[in-house]
Amino acid sequence: MKKKFVSITLALVLGLSLTACGNSGGGDKAGNNANTEDTDNKGDAEEPADDGGSDAAGSDAAGSDASSAANKDKPLVWFNRQPSNSSTGELDSAALNFNKDTYYVGFDANQGAELQGTMVKEYIEANIDKIDRNGDGTIGYVLAIGDIGHNDSIARTRGVRKALGTGVEKDGNINSDPAGTNTDGTASVVQDGTIEVGGKKYVVRELASQEMKNSAGATWDAATAGNAIGTWSSSFGDSIDIVVSNNDGMGMSMFNAWSKENTVPTFGYDANSDAVAAIAEGYGGTISQHADVQAYLTLRVLRNALDGVDIDTGIGTADEAGNVLTDDVYVYREEERSYYALNVAVTADNYQDFTDSTKIYEPVSKQLDEGSHATKKVWLNIYNASDNFLSSTYQPLLQNYDDILNLEVEYIGGDGQTESNITNRLGNPSQYDAFAINMVKTDNAASYTSLLSQ
Ligand code: BGC
């Protein structure tokens, strides 16, 4: 029995829930009735469709639990965008400690960034004979930056600059600002690096980099990256020996627009299925951020909090079904309330193992028993329904795990630009047992927690 609430079925949901309201004589309605805060009809009308009685006993229990807990005390997981200051990167510890059941799930951005930089560097070294396309002794690369205020994006820009020797220090760290155009090597945010292979020295230059933000404000924008490579290649195409991107969405857009045809190796991040498949056609490589582990952790921490069990259950400690993760795939940092999946480089050597990015991770693939893990309702948003990674990799994984963990998840897709487009759809938090939030901007946690605190 699949119970999934997808936002595009909202019309249907509205229709059915009106019926459900009319018929509400028991079942999980008990929960809503008991909820004295839920007095506006708007909230009831937004109620998910299949509350009409199919949930059986499990949900009744869920309903009463949910209704007795104040929204501010319900389990909350931030994922993919860590509550933090988008200028300084400083973690927003108020948001990360919103209540005792609040966590963040993401991945180790620095470890992944280092892997990405090393992957590019090793590719250059291994292909030194053919990499310098115009033979000028300078290995030129262009860089697509996702979001200058997103810590994953910042880390990846730094990782590439560090490995290639093009980074410049600023306030004790590598400057991650976009360089704009730097074909003459005079930009101040980067410098020329050198790489020595077989006794021969080459200059490495970041020819250009920019944040791929569209005019409406959406970041990590693949179409913008496709346009940028068009502009760059038409003015200095011969000098571009390598294309690097903060993610595969933008990387694949540049690959398809230009680098594939011009056999210029292009490197991304995320190991989306299309990017992994493109390795066979000359895409240089990508990094798996172990989305299969992250998606599991995102829902698992909620499941554990809802069950009132130790947070490590089914994570570092096997649950009764046998689900468990080993410490080579994630780390937990208690002081940051954060779980971080570990990254793996995906190149021509191993890409065959990564062809389906939506496949769940086998060690945590066992179904939980509904008797002891009653069905619960989760409100979950994706900051941008068009984000390649979140829509083609992360959400399909979540949808696989929600069944296994007996969670009824309502998936909300944002426009990638405005927080209110999403928060407007958290009109009645009382109808959910737990929340999973992917902010548009990492500074905006309070827009959500204020709704839960009302
Ligand atoms: C992913 C990007 C994605 C971004 C969205 C990053 O972790 O690598 O592909 O666009 O998250 O927040």
Side-chain angles (χ1 to χ4, degrees), residues 86-112:
S86 61
S87 312
T88 64
E90 192 193 338
L91 296 186
D92 176 348
S93 79
L96 290 164
N97 292 283
F98 175 61
N99 62 31
K100 70 172 182 29
D101 293 324
T102 301
Y103 297 91
Y104 170 72
V105 172
F107 66 98
D108 188 329
N110 294 329
Q111 180 249 352

PDB file of all heavy atoms in Angstrom, residues 86-112:
ATOM      1  N   SER A  86      25.034  32.756   5.246  1.00  0.00           N
ATOM      2  CA  SER A  86      25.490  32.535   3.872  1.00  0.00           C
ATOM      3  C   SER A  86      26.721  33.366   3.527  1.00  0.00           C
ATOM      4  O   SER A  86      27.365  33.106   2.512  1.00  0.00           O
ATOM      5  CB  SER A  86      24.366  32.794   2.874  1.00  0.00           C
ATOM      6  OG  SER A  86      23.941  34.128   2.971  1.00  0.00           O
ATOM      7  N   SER A  87      27.073  34.339   4.366  1.00  0.00           N
ATOM      8  CA  SER A  87      28.306  35.097   4.085  1.00  0.00           C
ATOM      9  C   SER A  87      29.494  34.481   4.799  1.00  0.00           C
ATOM     10  O   SER A  87      30.562  34.321   4.225  1.00  0.00           O
ATOM     11  CB  SER A  87      28.200  36.545   4.545  1.00  0.00           C
ATOM     12  OG  SER A  87      27.014  37.111   4.107  1.00  0.00           O
ATOM     13  N   THR A  88      29.303  34.124   6.068  1.00  0.00           N
ATOM     14  CA  THR A  88      30.458  33.647   6.837  1.00  0.00           C
ATOM     15  C   THR A  88      30.516  32.123   6.939  1.00  0.00           C
ATOM     16  O   THR A  88      31.541  31.559   7.293  1.00  0.00           O
ATOM     17  CB  THR A  88      30.402  34.178   8.282  1.00  0.00           C
ATOM     18  OG1 THR A  88      29.223  33.617   8.897  1.00  0.00           O
ATOM     19  CG2 THR A  88      30.318  35.689   8.316  1.00  0.00           C
ATOM     20  N   GLY A  89      29.415  31.450   6.662  1.00  0.00           N
ATOM     21  CA  GLY A  89      29.385  29.998   6.782  1.00  0.00           C
ATOM     22  C   GLY A  89      29.117  29.534   8.203  1.00  0.00           C
ATOM     23  O   GLY A  89      28.959  28.341   8.466  1.00  0.00           O
ATOM     24  N   GLU A  90      29.041  30.465   9.146  1.00  0.00           N
ATOM     25  CA  GLU A  90      28.847  30.093  10.552  1.00  0.00           C
ATOM     26  C   GLU A  90      27.503  29.374  10.739  1.00  0.00           C
ATOM     27  O   GLU A  90      26.467  29.829  10.246  1.00  0.00           O
ATOM     28  CB  GLU A  90      28.866  31.358  11.422  1.00  0.00           C
ATOM     29  CG  GLU A  90      28.962  31.057  12.888  1.00  0.00           C
ATOM     30  CD  GLU A  90      28.665  32.305  13.736  1.00  0.00           C
ATOM     31  OE1 GLU A  90      28.806  33.418  13.202  1.00  0.00           O
ATOM     32  OE2 GLU A  90      28.288  32.136  14.895  1.00  0.00           O
ATOM     33  N   LEU A  91      27.546  28.236  11.427  1.00  0.00           N
ATOM     34  CA  LEU A  91      26.331  27.446  11.596  1.00  0.00           C
ATOM     35  C   LEU A  91      25.317  28.188  12.464  1.00  0.00           C
ATOM     36  O   LEU A  91      25.677  28.886  13.406  1.00  0.00           O
ATOM     37  CB  LEU A  91      26.652  26.086  12.224  1.00  0.00           C
ATOM     38  CG  LEU A  91      27.536  25.158  11.391  1.00  0.00           C
ATOM     39  CD1 LEU A  91      27.650  23.793  12.064  1.00  0.00           C
ATOM     40  CD2 LEU A  91      26.995  25.002   9.972  1.00  0.00           C
ATOM     41  N   ASP A  92      24.061  27.993  12.121  1.00  0.00           N
ATOM     42  CA  ASP A  92      22.963  28.612  12.860  1.00  0.00           C
ATOM     43  C   ASP A  92      22.561  27.624  13.956  1.00  0.00           C
ATOM     44  O   ASP A  92      21.728  26.740  13.759  1.00  0.00           O
ATOM     45  CB  ASP A  92      21.824  28.868  11.862  1.00  0.00           C
ATOM     46  CG  ASP A  92      20.573  29.427  12.505  1.00  0.00           C
ATOM     47  OD1 ASP A  92      20.478  29.406  13.749  1.00  0.00           O
ATOM     48  OD2 ASP A  92      19.688  29.860  11.753  1.00  0.00           O
ATOM     49  N   SER A  93      23.185  27.785  15.110  1.00  0.00           N
ATOM     50  CA  SER A  93      22.986  26.741  16.118  1.00  0.00           C
ATOM     51  C   SER A  93      21.591  26.822  16.742  1.00  0.00           C
ATOM     52  O   SER A  93      21.067  25.817  17.223  1.00  0.00           O
ATOM     53  CB  SER A  93      24.096  26.753  17.152  1.00  0.00           C
ATOM     54  OG  SER A  93      23.887  27.760  18.059  1.00  0.00           O
ATOM     55  N   ALA A  94      20.960  27.985  16.695  1.00  0.00           N
ATOM     56  CA  ALA A  94      19.574  28.058  17.198  1.00  0.00           C
ATOM     57  C   ALA A  94      18.686  27.155  16.345  1.00  0.00           C
ATOM     58  O   ALA A  94      17.854  26.398  16.868  1.00  0.00           O
ATOM     59  CB  ALA A  94      19.081  29.496  17.163  1.00  0.00           C
ATOM     60  N   ALA A  95      18.867  27.209  15.044  1.00  0.00           N
ATOM     61  CA  ALA A  95      18.040  26.386  14.153  1.00  0.00           C
ATOM     62  C   ALA A  95      18.383  24.905  14.295  1.00  0.00           C
ATOM     63  O   ALA A  95      17.501  24.039  14.254  1.00  0.00           O
ATOM     64  CB  ALA A  95      18.230  26.828  12.708  1.00  0.00           C
ATOM     65  N   LEU A  96      19.670  24.624  14.483  1.00  0.00           N
ATOM     66  CA  LEU A  96      20.094  23.223  14.596  1.00  0.00           C
ATOM     67  C   LEU A  96      19.689  22.615  15.940  1.00  0.00           C
ATOM     68  O   LEU A  96      19.687  21.399  16.100  1.00  0.00           O
ATOM     69  CB  LEU A  96      21.619  23.122  14.412  1.00  0.00           C
ATOM     70  CG  LEU A  96      22.092  23.397  12.982  1.00  0.00           C
ATOM     71  CD1 LEU A  96      23.592  23.678  12.945  1.00  0.00           C
ATOM     72  CD2 LEU A  96      21.750  22.226  12.064  1.00  0.00           C
ATOM     73  N   ASN A  97      19.374  23.487  16.894  1.00  0.00           N
ATOM     74  CA  ASN A  97      18.926  23.018  18.213  1.00  0.00           C
ATOM     75  C   ASN A  97      17.508  23.491  18.490  1.00  0.00           C
ATOM     76  O   ASN A  97      17.155  23.796  19.622  1.00  0.00           O
ATOM     77  CB  ASN A  97      19.862  23.557  19.307  1.00  0.00           C
ATOM     78  CG  ASN A  97      21.236  22.925  19.214  1.00  0.00           C
ATOM     79  OD1 ASN A  97      21.421  21.784  19.624  1.00  0.00           O
ATOM     80  ND2 ASN A  97      22.199  23.636  18.652  1.00  0.00           N
ATOM     81  N   PHE A  98      16.702  23.557  17.455  1.00  0.00           N
ATOM     82  CA  PHE A  98      15.350  24.089  17.610  1.00  0.00           C
ATOM     83  C   PHE A  98      14.581  23.339  18.692  1.00  0.00           C
ATOM     84  O   PHE A  98      13.910  23.912  19.522  1.00  0.00           O
ATOM     85  CB  PHE A  98      14.618  24.013  16.258  1.00  0.00           C
ATOM     86  CG  PHE A  98      13.179  24.426  16.326  1.00  0.00           C
ATOM     87  CD1 PHE A  98      12.832  25.710  16.711  1.00  0.00           C
ATOM     88  CD2 PHE A  98      12.161  23.529  16.015  1.00  0.00           C
ATOM     89  CE1 PHE A  98      11.498  26.105  16.785  1.00  0.00           C
ATOM     90  CE2 PHE A  98      10.826  23.906  16.088  1.00  0.00           C
ATOM     91  CZ  PHE A  98      10.498  25.202  16.476  1.00  0.00           C
ATOM     92  N   ASN A  99      14.681  22.025  18.674  1.00  0.00           N
ATOM     93  CA  ASN A  99      14.142  21.246  19.794  1.00  0.00           C
ATOM     94  C   ASN A  99      15.028  20.009  19.955  1.00  0.00           C
ATOM     95  O   ASN A  99      16.013  19.858  19.228  1.00  0.00           O
ATOM     96  CB  ASN A  99      12.651  20.904  19.594  1.00  0.00           C
ATOM     97  CG  ASN A  99      12.402  20.040  18.360  1.00  0.00           C
ATOM     98  OD1 ASN A  99      13.251  19.236  17.973  1.00  0.00           O
ATOM     99  ND2 ASN A  99      11.247  20.211  17.733  1.00  0.00           N
ATOM    100  N   LYS A 100      14.693  19.143  20.865  1.00  0.00           N
ATOM    101  CA  LYS A 100      15.613  18.024  21.144  1.00  0.00           C
ATOM    102  C   LYS A 100      15.651  17.009  20.003  1.00  0.00           C
ATOM    103  O   LYS A 100      16.543  16.165  19.946  1.00  0.00           O
ATOM    104  CB  LYS A 100      15.264  17.360  22.476  1.00  0.00           C
ATOM    105  CG  LYS A 100      13.965  16.576  22.464  1.00  0.00           C
ATOM    106  CD  LYS A 100      13.805  15.801  23.757  1.00  0.00           C
ATOM    107  CE  LYS A 100      12.553  14.938  23.836  1.00  0.00           C
ATOM    108  NZ  LYS A 100      11.981  14.399  22.615  1.00  0.00           N
ATOM    109  N   ASP A 101      14.691  17.097  19.094  1.00  0.00           N
ATOM    110  CA  ASP A 101      14.658  16.169  17.962  1.00  0.00           C
ATOM    111  C   ASP A 101      14.962  16.872  16.643  1.00  0.00           C
ATOM    112  O   ASP A 101      14.372  16.588  15.612  1.00  0.00           O
ATOM    113  CB  ASP A 101      13.286  15.491  17.890  1.00  0.00           C
ATOM    114  CG  ASP A 101      13.043  14.569  19.072  1.00  0.00           C
ATOM    115  OD1 ASP A 101      14.010  13.928  19.520  1.00  0.00           O
ATOM    116  OD2 ASP A 101      11.894  14.507  19.560  1.00  0.00           O
ATOM    117  N   THR A 102      15.878  17.821  16.689  1.00  0.00           N
ATOM    118  CA  THR A 102      16.266  18.528  15.463  1.00  0.00           C
ATOM    119  C   THR A 102      17.656  18.071  15.019  1.00  0.00           C
ATOM    120  O   THR A 102      18.571  17.966  15.845  1.00  0.00           O
ATOM    121  CB  THR A 102      16.285  20.053  15.708  1.00  0.00           C
ATOM    122  OG1 THR A 102      14.992  20.468  16.125  1.00  0.00           O
ATOM    123  CG2 THR A 102      16.671  20.803  14.441  1.00  0.00           C
ATOM    124  N   TYR A 103      17.794  17.820  13.714  1.00  0.00           N
ATOM    125  CA  TYR A 103      19.075  17.382  13.144  1.00  0.00           C
ATOM    126  C   TYR A 103      19.280  18.026  11.779  1.00  0.00           C
ATOM    127  O   TYR A 103      18.336  18.541  11.178  1.00  0.00           O
ATOM    128  CB  TYR A 103      19.102  15.848  12.966  1.00  0.00           C
ATOM    129  CG  TYR A 103      18.996  15.121  14.277  1.00  0.00           C
ATOM    130  CD1 TYR A 103      17.747  14.743  14.779  1.00  0.00           C
ATOM    131  CD2 TYR A 103      20.126  14.878  15.043  1.00  0.00           C
ATOM    132  CE1 TYR A 103      17.632  14.121  16.015  1.00  0.00           C
ATOM    133  CE2 TYR A 103      20.015  14.242  16.281  1.00  0.00           C
ATOM    134  CZ  TYR A 103      18.782  13.866  16.756  1.00  0.00           C
ATOM    135  OH  TYR A 103      18.675  13.259  17.975  1.00  0.00           O
ATOM    136  N   TYR A 104      20.502  17.941  11.314  1.00  0.00           N
ATOM    137  CA  TYR A 104      20.792  18.281   9.918  1.00  0.00           C
ATOM    138  C   TYR A 104      21.360  17.031   9.260  1.00  0.00           C
ATOM    139  O   TYR A 104      22.125  16.287   9.875  1.00  0.00           O
ATOM    140  CB  TYR A 104      21.820  19.421   9.810  1.00  0.00           C
ATOM    141  CG  TYR A 104      22.321  19.621   8.392  1.00  0.00           C
ATOM    142  CD1 TYR A 104      21.491  20.174   7.415  1.00  0.00           C
ATOM    143  CD2 TYR A 104      23.603  19.212   8.004  1.00  0.00           C
ATOM    144  CE1 TYR A 104      21.933  20.326   6.102  1.00  0.00           C
ATOM    145  CE2 TYR A 104      24.048  19.364   6.692  1.00  0.00           C
ATOM    146  CZ  TYR A 104      23.205  19.923   5.753  1.00  0.00           C
ATOM    147  OH  TYR A 104      23.639  20.058   4.454  1.00  0.00           O
ATOM    148  N   VAL A 105      20.983  16.807   7.998  1.00  0.00           N
ATOM    149  CA  VAL A 105      21.585  15.725   7.222  1.00  0.00           C
ATOM    150  C   VAL A 105      22.137  16.307   5.927  1.00  0.00           C
ATOM    151  O   VAL A 105      21.419  16.982   5.178  1.00  0.00           O
ATOM    152  CB  VAL A 105      20.563  14.605   6.903  1.00  0.00           C
ATOM    153  CG1 VAL A 105      21.176  13.600   5.927  1.00  0.00           C
ATOM    154  CG2 VAL A 105      20.120  13.900   8.184  1.00  0.00           C
ATOM    155  N   GLY A 106      23.397  16.065   5.708  1.00  0.00           N
ATOM    156  CA  GLY A 106      24.039  16.526   4.478  1.00  0.00           C
ATOM    157  C   GLY A 106      25.213  15.601   4.198  1.00  0.00           C
ATOM    158  O   GLY A 106      25.147  14.400   4.451  1.00  0.00           O
ATOM    159  N   PHE A 107      26.278  16.152   3.730  1.00  0.00           N
ATOM    160  CA  PHE A 107      27.449  15.316   3.469  1.00  0.00           C
ATOM    161  C   PHE A 107      28.671  16.139   3.824  1.00  0.00           C
ATOM    162  O   PHE A 107      28.584  17.356   4.023  1.00  0.00           O
ATOM    163  CB  PHE A 107      27.456  14.871   2.008  1.00  0.00           C
ATOM    164  CG  PHE A 107      27.641  16.011   1.085  1.00  0.00           C
ATOM    165  CD1 PHE A 107      28.886  16.309   0.571  1.00  0.00           C
ATOM    166  CD2 PHE A 107      26.575  16.840   0.796  1.00  0.00           C
ATOM    167  CE1 PHE A 107      29.061  17.415  -0.226  1.00  0.00           C
ATOM    168  CE2 PHE A 107      26.754  17.958   0.003  1.00  0.00           C
ATOM    169  CZ  PHE A 107      27.991  18.239  -0.510  1.00  0.00           C
ATOM    170  N   ASP A 108      29.806  15.481   3.886  1.00  0.00           N
ATOM    171  CA  ASP A 108      31.026  16.157   4.274  1.00  0.00           C
ATOM    172  C   ASP A 108      31.540  16.991   3.100  1.00  0.00           C
ATOM    173  O   ASP A 108      32.160  16.464   2.167  1.00  0.00           O
ATOM    174  CB  ASP A 108      32.056  15.104   4.724  1.00  0.00           C
ATOM    175  CG  ASP A 108      33.290  15.743   5.340  1.00  0.00           C
ATOM    176  OD1 ASP A 108      33.642  16.868   4.925  1.00  0.00           O
ATOM    177  OD2 ASP A 108      33.902  15.112   6.223  1.00  0.00           O
ATOM    178  N   ALA A 109      31.242  18.276   3.147  1.00  0.00           N
ATOM    179  CA  ALA A 109      31.532  19.153   2.008  1.00  0.00           C
ATOM    180  C   ALA A 109      33.035  19.287   1.758  1.00  0.00           C
ATOM    181  O   ALA A 109      33.473  19.338   0.601  1.00  0.00           O
ATOM    182  CB  ALA A 109      30.913  20.527   2.248  1.00  0.00           C
ATOM    183  N   ASN A 110      33.818  19.332   2.826  1.00  0.00           N
ATOM    184  CA  ASN A 110      35.260  19.523   2.624  1.00  0.00           C
ATOM    185  C   ASN A 110      35.931  18.275   2.074  1.00  0.00           C
ATOM    186  O   ASN A 110      36.751  18.350   1.165  1.00  0.00           O
ATOM    187  CB  ASN A 110      35.934  19.947   3.929  1.00  0.00           C
ATOM    188  CG  ASN A 110      35.451  21.322   4.351  1.00  0.00           C
ATOM    189  OD1 ASN A 110      35.120  22.164   3.507  1.00  0.00           O
ATOM    190  ND2 ASN A 110      35.370  21.542   5.654  1.00  0.00           N
ATOM    191  N   GLN A 111      35.518  17.127   2.611  1.00  0.00           N
ATOM    192  CA  GLN A 111      36.096  15.872   2.108  1.00  0.00           C
ATOM    193  C   GLN A 111      35.743  15.693   0.631  1.00  0.00           C
ATOM    194  O   GLN A 111      36.559  15.314  -0.200  1.00  0.00           O
ATOM    195  CB  GLN A 111      35.550  14.695   2.956  1.00  0.00           C
ATOM    196  CG  GLN A 111      36.051  13.323   2.548  1.00  0.00           C
ATOM    197  CD  GLN A 111      34.942  12.465   1.919  1.00  0.00           C
ATOM    198  OE1 GLN A 111      33.765  12.826   1.921  1.00  0.00           O
ATOM    199  NE2 GLN A 111      35.338  11.313   1.369  1.00  0.00           N
ATOM    200  N   GLY A 112      34.492  16.027   0.274  1.00  0.00           N
ATOM    201  CA  GLY A 112      34.059  15.889  -1.118  1.00  0.00           C
ATOM    202  C   GLY A 112      34.765  16.873  -2.032  1.00  0.00           C
ATOM    203  O   GLY A 112      35.139  16.548  -3.159  1.00  0.00           O
TER     204      GLY A 112
END
